[in-house]
Amino acid sequence: QVQLVESGGGLVQPGGSLRLSCAASGSIFSIHTMGWFRQAPGKQRDLVATITSGDTTNYADSVKGRFTISRDNAKNTIDLRMMRLEPEDTAVYFCNALIKMSQLHAVDNYWGQGTQVTVSS
């Protein structure tokens, strides 16, 4: 069993900052790419940022220069630092990870339960 637990969402004014965290726990043999996705009401779930086990990062164009993803492989955690937040960033943010539970398992795709980020004055 593997769990991804997010924390750090909330309400922030435009131009403000927030930091999201995600911790993976359970039966974990190895973790490959981890990342954040977001879903606004009535819209599809979109990629925000990803980071590989070797710390290679990828960002959606809409967040480049404002968001930073980081990873602690020893703790199985990732953070998303969000700056200069805009109302368009309002969404439920989901943590995602590609995890292998054992040497015999295939890599599976896991999601957290989501955390709400609301940018509003």
Side-chain angles (χ1 to χ4, degrees), residues 38-102:
R38 66 187 181 187
Q39 188 167 18
K43 295 190 176 180
Q44 67 181 22
R45 190 174 296 188
D46 290 327
L47 179 146
V48 176
T50 61
I51 184 166
T52 69
S53 56
D55 285 340
T56 297
T57 58
N58 180 50
Y59 295 92
D61 287 343
S62 60
V63 306
K64 281 180 182 175
R66 299 188 299 123
F67 291 11
T68 302
I69 190 170
S70 60
R71 177 170 178 161
D72 186 330
N73 288 325
K75 296 180 179 178
N76 292 338
T77 60
I78 56 170
D79 283 353
L80 184 70
R81 297 182 182 180
M82 306 184 290
M83 299 186 299
R84 301 195 304 277
L85 283 159
E86 304 166 354
E88 293 74 23
D89 296 315
T90 295
V92 178
Y93 284 68
F94 295 90
C95 179
N96 174 262
L98 298 177
I99 295 174
K100 207 170 156 69
M101 288 179 64
S102 77

